[in-house]
């Protein structure tokens, strides 16, 4: 049973495990995404997320606490200067673990771990969906004509709702009346 065993020891002594997680954290902070095994990615997520939360408050004591874990000045500077301002409004969940398949040599399950706010492709997709506008009914217009006609139509007041169906019905009947009139005309040859 696994009673009271909260961390994965990853088959290493504590000193080796702490050094490995510190090195992986520095690599992740530097490159914004790394590929590793799923077990190491989950352990790294548990190790690094409290440090990222600590980096939201840019004070000397918080920098010292983070440096005691990471042991790399450049990684600490990067964390406090670029990453912390970008994740300042996020309440947690700074890292994402994406399963990528199995390793060729030993078949261990691999994963990609990355910062959520630094994935450019996902952010670009989110911005595109937010920028999409709803289309008007009644047929497609050319892209060049649409802004000019919408600007011209904006100041004009719309007819009351009760008159609109009557106008549409009259417009539908007009072509039918014209066709009937052509049939009734005598042909002259």
């Amino acid at each position: 049973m696994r009673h009271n065993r909260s961390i994965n020891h990853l088959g290493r002594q504590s000193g080796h495990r702490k050094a490995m997680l510190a090195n992986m954290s520095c690599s992740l902070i530097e490159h914004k995404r790394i590929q590793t095994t799923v077990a190491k990615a989950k352990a790294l997520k548990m190790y690094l997320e409290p440090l990222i939360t600590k980096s939201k408050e840019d004070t000397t004591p918080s920098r010292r606490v983070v440096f005691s874990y990471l042991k790399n000045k450049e990684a600490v500077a990067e964390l406090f200067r670029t990453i912390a301002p970008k994740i300042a409004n996020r309440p947690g969940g700074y890292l994402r673990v994406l399963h990528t398949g199995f390793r060729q040599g030993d078949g261990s399950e691999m994963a990609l771990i990355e910062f959520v706010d630094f994935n450019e492709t996902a952010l670009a997709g989110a911005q595109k969906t937010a920028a999409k506008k709803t289309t008007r009914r009644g047929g497609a217009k050319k892209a060049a004509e649409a802004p000019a006609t919408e600007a011209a139509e904006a100041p004009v007041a719309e007819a009351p709702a009760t008159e609109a169906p009557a106008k549409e019905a009259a417009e539908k009947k007009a072509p039918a009346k014209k066709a009937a009139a052509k049939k009734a005309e005598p042909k002259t040859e």
Side-chain angles (χ1 to χ4, degrees):
M1 289 191 204
R2 295 187 65 251
H3 292 306
N4 231 6
R5 296 186 61 181
S6 60
I7 66 166
N8 186 354
H9 296 288
L10 300 172
R12 290 163 172 79
Q13 300 292 320
S14 64
H16 185 190
R17 183 174 57 250
K18 288 176 187 174
M20 182 192 66
L21 290 173
N23 288 332
M24 287 176 68
S25 298
C26 293
S27 296
L28 180 61
I29 290 168
E30 181 184 346
H31 299 290
K32 309 298 184 272
R33 87 170 40 169
I34 57 172
Q35 186 168 8
T36 183
T37 62
V38 172
K40 286 180 187 175
K42 288 179 180 178
L44 180 62
K45 187 174 180 178
M46 284 179 52
Y47 182 83
L48 190 57
E49 286 205 350
L51 299 179
I52 297 170
T53 303
K54 194 77 161 165
S55 72
K56 286 182 177 183
E57 184 183 350
D58 192 4
T59 61
T60 303
S62 63
R63 280 181 178 262
R64 286 180 178 164
V65 168
V66 171
F67 181 76
S68 72
Y69 282 89
L70 297 181
K71 299 171 181 60
N72 187 336
K73 278 194 270 188
E74 291 80 19
V76 172
E78 176 80 9
L79 179 63
F80 278 87
R81 287 187 188 138
T82 61
I83 296 172
K86 203 160 186 180
I87 54 104
N89 59 352
R90 185 176 286 276
Y94 314 110
L95 300 174
R96 173 188 299 137
V97 177
L98 302 168
H99 297 253
T100 57
F102 298 93
R103 189 160 49 198
Q104 185 68 33
D106 60 354
S108 61
E109 196 173 359
M110 300 299 286
L112 190 73
I113 184 167
E114 66 182 1
F115 282 97
V116 173
D117 293 324
F118 284 87
N119 188 347
E120 290 83 16
T121 56
L123 291 175
Q127 290 173 352
K128 284 183 182 178
T129 57
K132 185 177 179 182
K133 295 181 180 178
T134 59
T135 58
R136 292 177 38 151
R137 293 185 179 250
K141 296 183 180 179
K142 292 182 181 176
E145 295 176 4
T149 56
E150 289 175 2
E153 292 175 0
V156 177
E158 293 186 68
T162 58
E163 294 178 11
K167 286 184 179 180
E168 290 176 10
E171 290 173 1
K172 287 181 182 177
K173 290 180 182 177
K177 286 182 181 178
K178 289 180 183 178
K182 281 187 177 181
K183 286 183 182 177
E185 286 182 12
K187 292 185 181 180
T188 56
E189 290 185 27

